[in-house]
Amino acid sequence: MSSEASMIEVQALTKAYGLMPVLRGLDLQIPRGQFVALLGPNGSGKSTLLRLLAGLSRPNSGRILIGGWELPKEAAAVRGQIGMVAHKPLLYENLTARENLAFFGRLYNIPEDKLDGRIEDALQRVGLVKRADDLARAFSRGMQQRLSIARALLHNPHVLLLDEPYTGLDQDACRTLDTLLKEAHSAGHTIVMTTHELERAAALADRAVILARGKLHYDMQTTNLDGLKLATDYATITH
């Protein structure tokens, strides 16, 4: 039974690549506005789950609902509700920051009379206004990640999916990303983030879930959870 308060619902989800099962009957419900840290070792199914939630892959069986819309049959409606940031920036390096956002804004069907304002707002939020007309290829890894977040926020999606967004970032860029995620969370976005940074997960997210061998083995609110406790629990589950 669907809950009106849920933004994301996953029911009995399975996914295999050939004979290799990746997700094995996964159930997960995420309320609107919640920030979930999705944890687990490599090969546990984290990135696969994000791709399924984004409509980039199809499950073998099970049900996925995003904002009440069902994937994959209502994928067109779901895509407008989702912004995704992968560990690869997924930008056009020969376009400027502004040109990248204009391109993606048209893909998101943002009306032309609103697009410039949306672009300026997104650039402002990620601190790239002064570099708006520089080519993306001239950006550091951290700046490219900020531009990726601007792209993901451009159409004001209800859901943000982030796949290892801290990969390759220096400490300053990590702190900037922390701030952006806190702001997105405060603005009411539902966030699902995969990460290996357990201390960061405990500090930023409302809830930590751990996948292992394609199943959900841990689901804990972070209110009384610090990085050390989460690391201890993680080691117990994944080893």
Side-chain angles (χ1 to χ4, degrees):
M1 186 75 178
S2 287
S3 165
E4 291 183 2
S6 292
M7 178 55 73
I8 297 171
E9 288 195 57
V10 170
Q11 301 168 1
L13 193 65
T14 68
K15 178 65 178 178
Y17 294 105
L19 298 175
M20 179 73 68
V22 181
L23 296 175
R24 307 166 186 254
L26 185 71
D27 292 304
L28 181 65
Q29 187 174 102
I30 300 175
R32 294 176 185 272
Q34 190 172 72
F35 188 157
V36 175
L38 183 61
L39 313 173
N42 292 335
S44 61
K46 304 186 305 297
S47 294
T48 296
L49 177 57
L50 283 198
R51 288 181 59 80
L52 290 166
L53 295 179
L56 299 175
S57 182
R58 288 172 173 255
N60 293 96
S61 64
R63 198 163 184 237
I64 303 171
L65 295 170
I66 307 286
W69 301 95
E70 186 167 0
L71 284 171
K73 67 181 182 182
E74 295 175 306
V78 169
R79 286 192 188 106
Q81 300 188 58
I82 288 174
M84 187 163 186
V85 178
H87 54 271
K88 293 183 179 179
L90 304 178
L91 301 168
Y92 290 96
E93 292 194 341
N94 290 326
L95 297 181
T96 67
R98 193 188 307 278
E99 288 168 343
N100 264 284
L101 295 183
F103 174 81
F104 286 105
R106 293 184 180 103
L107 283 184
Y108 293 136
N109 295 316
I110 297 173
E112 286 291 334
D113 62 336
K114 296 182 178 179
L115 184 55
D116 286 347
R118 291 281 191 94
I119 290 170
E120 290 306 310
D121 180 62
L123 289 168
Q124 187 75 44
R125 288 174 77 176
V126 301
L128 287 178
V129 171
K130 293 181 179 178
R131 301 293 300 274
D133 297 311
D134 292 351
L135 295 177
R137 70 181 179 208
F139 285 3
S140 68
R141 164 75 178 138
M143 290 174 65
Q144 288 188 348
Q145 195 69 315
R146 280 195 268 165
L147 183 56
S148 295
I149 292 170
R151 168 183 54 73
L153 292 171
L154 189 63
H155 57 303
N156 195 30
H158 295 297
V159 177
L160 280 177
L161 304 175
L162 301 108
D163 193 7
E164 299 291 348
Y166 291 91
T167 301
L169 300 186
D170 62 26
Q171 288 304 307
D172 285 344
C174 285
R175 283 191 289 270
T176 299
L177 181 53
D178 288 347
T179 300
L180 290 171
L181 292 179
K182 288 174 185 175
E183 289 174 353
H185 187 205
S186 295
H189 295 283
T190 304
I191 302 173
V192 183
M193 179 180 74
T194 74
T195 183
H196 290 290
E197 303 216 14
L198 302 183
E199 188 169 336
R200 197 162 246 121
L204 290 174
D206 301 312
R207 178 180 171 196
V209 301
I210 299 176
L211 292 184
R213 297 168 291 282
K215 291 188 176 183
L216 187 64
H217 285 265
Y218 182 93
D219 189 345
M220 187 75 67
Q221 299 293 317
T222 60
T223 310
N224 297 311
L225 193 65
D226 59 20
L228 180 59
K229 172 74 165 86
L230 180 57
T232 300
D233 293 348
Y234 182 91
T236 301
I237 290 164
T238 59
H239 290 92

